[in-house]
Amino acid sequence: NAGVTQTPKFQVLKTGQSMTLQCAQDMNHEYMSWYRQDPGMGLRLIHYSVGAGITDQGEVPNGYNVSRSTTEDFPLRLLSAAPSQTSVYFCASSRLGGGGNIQYFGAGTRLSVL
Amino acid sequence: AQSVTQLGSHVSVSEGALVLLRCNYSSSVPPYLFWYVQYPNQGLQLLLKYTSAATLVKGINGFEAEFKKSETSFHLTKPSAHMSDAAEYFCAVSTLTGTASKLTFGTGTRLQVTL
């Protein structure tokens, strides 16, 4: 009963490096999303997807790329990391079709950019 | 745009005391509202949700919340705090864009429970 799995749990990058945060879900959910959590700011939506091949921007998309080639996976790419991207990143998934659908969250990836 | 405001970034209560965490929302349409809890170094898990079926919503771990349209509020309560309730709590409102339900979170309230 894995739910939403994020890897890695921790990562330290140098400014300018690139990396991919992985997210996978085994609930056959169409909707997947990425959030970043910063102190005093709650969670903010970075990108989301409503199905394979369909992605869209959230509130804070700059500096991040996503793609969705399968229902299960939704990786988040940082092409050139900046200190401002130091944060905790959460992936979430849910069914489509209703405002009351519950989003299920992964355990998070803690990223530090030096 | 829909939004939520959580009053009080930190709340401290004694074990056994009433827990009250405040959330006010702004929405032009009947809202879907959620409370999530985040324990240290973990992801978010759902406590409860409001979807217009009933104004008093009961959740896990003895928590409940009451939707008050006249006050645009969805405050979270628990009659008697337990040490294990120490965590960060987030109120969120759902915005339906096409078929995608996007969550907008409040800034969170950290609950401390003391002996």
Side-chain angles (χ1 to χ4, degrees):
Chain A
N1 194 352
V4 179
T5 303
Q6 291 183 238
T7 56
K9 293 191 183 327
F10 302 94
Q11 184 70 49
V12 179
L13 291 178
K14 294 181 179 179
T15 297
Q17 287 186 316
S18 63
M19 80 160 296
T20 299
L21 282 63
Q22 302 291 346
C23 176
Q25 53 94 7
D26 62 359
M27 296 174 281
N28 202 31
H29 286 163
E30 305 94 336
Y31 181 81
M32 296 186 73
S33 55
W34 277 101
Y35 296 86
R36 59 177 290 172
Q37 182 182 23
D38 301 292
M41 303 188 75
L43 280 80
R44 294 178 292 168
L45 183 64
I46 304 172
H47 285 286
Y48 66 96
S49 169
V50 298
I54 306 169
T55 64
D56 205 347
Q57 296 181 350
E59 180 185 355
V60 288
N62 292 341
Y64 307 96
N65 282 349
V66 292
S67 60
R68 183 106 176 260
S69 56
T70 67
T71 299
E72 294 78 19
D73 300 298
F74 190 44
L76 179 71
R77 297 183 185 86
L78 285 70
L79 297 180
S80 179
S84 61
Q85 294 178 304
T86 294
S87 187
V88 182
Y89 292 86
F90 289 99
C91 179
S93 74
S94 72
R95 292 183 296 114
L96 282 177
N101 290 339
I102 298 168
Q103 291 198 22
Y104 296 87
F105 286 79
T109 295
R110 283 155 181 78
L111 175 66
S112 291
V113 182
L114 306 177
Chain B
Q2 295 177 298
S3 65
V4 292
T5 301
Q6 292 185 243
L7 299 176
S9 58
H10 290 84
V11 170
S12 181
V13 301
S14 300
E15 191 174 35
L18 172 72
V19 175
L20 171 61
L21 304 181
R22 299 177 187 273
C23 174
N24 288 88
Y25 70 90
S26 172
S27 176
S28 57
V29 298
Y32 294 100
L33 294 162
F34 303 79
W35 276 100
Y36 280 85
V37 60
Q38 183 182 31
Y39 298 104
N41 299 315
Q42 295 186 26
L44 280 71
Q45 59 179 275
L46 182 73
L47 271 180
L48 50 82
K49 69 173 184 178
Y50 168 75
T51 58
S52 78
T55 56
L56 183 62
V57 182
K58 294 188 184 299
I60 61 171
N61 301 337
F63 284 92
E64 62 182 35
E66 186 172 9
F67 175 75
K68 292 187 176 180
K69 184 178 178 180
S70 61
E71 299 177 8
T72 61
S73 68
F74 190 56
H75 301 332
L76 183 70
T77 60
K78 182 174 180 178
S80 177
H82 192 272
M83 296 296 289
S84 61
D85 294 326
E88 189 152 22
Y89 293 80
F90 292 95
C91 183
V93 62
S94 172
T95 303
L96 197 58
T97 304
T99 57
S101 174
K102 295 191 288 185
L103 289 177
T104 300
F105 286 88
T107 52
T109 298
R110 185 168 299 277
L111 176 66
Q112 180 183 21
V113 182
T114 59
L115 289 172

